[in-house]
C-alpha cells in the first residue's frame, strides 16, 4: 500500500487530499507544517509527498532542502502543489529534489498519476 503524506497549512486542503487518497487505496496522512512533515517523513517513510508551495514559515523548496539534508534511506516521489506558480519557486523546488511542480487546482487523474509514479519508484527499492 502506498503511503502518501499531504503537507499544507490550510486544513481543508489536507483533509480533501487525504480523504481522496485514502478512498483510492492509499494510506494517507496529513501535516499542517513543514516541520511536522519532516518528522513524518523520517518516522513513517511515505512513498509520496505532496507539499503546498507556500507553507507558512517553510516554503516547499525549504522543506525539500531539509528533507535532502536528512538523507532518508529512500526518497519519496515529491510534488510541490501551489496556488501561485512562479519560475523561481519551480527552479528552487527542482533543485531540492521535487519531481513535479504543479499549480492548483488538480484533476483526480493527476493525483492518481502521482500515486502510480510513487508506486513505480517504491517497487524499484526492495523493502520500501
Amino acid at each position: 500500500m502506498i503511503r502518501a503524506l499531504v503537507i499544507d497549512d490550510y486544513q481543508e486542503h489536507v483533509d480533501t487530499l487525504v480523504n481522496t487518497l485514502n478512498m483510492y487505496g492509499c494510506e494517507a496522512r496529513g501535516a499542517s507544517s513543514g516541520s511536522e512533515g519532516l518528522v513524518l517523513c523520517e518516522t513513517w517513510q511515505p512513498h509520496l509527498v505532496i507539499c503546498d508551495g507556500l507553507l507558512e514559515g517553510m516554503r516547499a523548496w525549504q522543506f525539500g532542502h531539509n528533507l535532502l539534508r536528512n538523507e532518508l534511506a529512500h526518497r519519496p516521489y515529491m510534488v510541490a502543489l501551489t496556488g501561485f506558480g512562479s519560475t523561481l519557486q519551480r527552479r528552487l523546488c527542482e533543485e531540492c529534489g521535487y519531481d513535479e511542480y504543479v499549480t492548483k487546482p488538480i484533476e483526480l487523474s493527476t493525483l492518481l498519476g502521482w500515486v502510480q509514479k510513487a508506486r513505480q519508484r517504491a517497487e524499484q527499492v526492495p523493502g520500501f
Side-chain angles (χ1 to χ4, degrees):
M1 179 177 294
I2 294 298
R3 293 182 301 275
L5 175 60
V6 178
I7 308 166
D8 198 317
D9 49 9
Y10 188 60
Q11 192 61 46
E12 188 173 317
H13 291 165
V14 172
D15 293 343
T16 299
L17 287 173
V18 165
N19 290 335
T20 302
L21 288 162
N22 284 330
M23 189 169 50
Y24 282 89
C26 292
E27 180 184 348
R29 294 184 184 177
S32 59
S33 69
S35 56
E36 183 183 353
L38 288 171
V39 169
L40 281 169
C41 282
E42 290 180 29
T43 60
W44 188 53
Q45 298 184 354
H47 302 102
L48 171 63
V49 173
I50 302 169
C51 184
D52 179 38
L54 298 175
L55 282 173
E56 181 85 22
M58 183 185 295
R59 303 294 190 236
W61 66 269
Q62 292 167 314
F63 172 84
H65 177 74
N66 285 318
L67 192 62
L68 286 176
R69 285 191 340 200
N70 290 350
E71 297 181 12
L72 298 177
H74 307 291
R75 190 176 69 78
Y77 192 84
M78 293 178 50
V79 178
L81 184 59
T82 182
F84 306 100
S86 155
T87 303
L88 174 61
Q89 291 290 330
R90 175 184 296 275
R91 184 178 57 76
L92 291 169
C93 285
E94 288 171 353
E95 289 174 2
C96 292
Y98 281 86
D99 297 287
E100 297 191 44
Y101 180 89
V102 181
T103 304
K104 299 172 189 174
I106 59 166
E107 299 288 326
L108 177 60
S109 60
T110 301
L111 180 64
L112 297 179
W114 298 336
V115 172
Q116 183 59 32
K117 290 174 184 176
R119 180 176 286 114
Q120 290 169 347
R121 178 171 291 167
E123 289 171 352
Q124 295 173 355
V125 181
F128 182 41

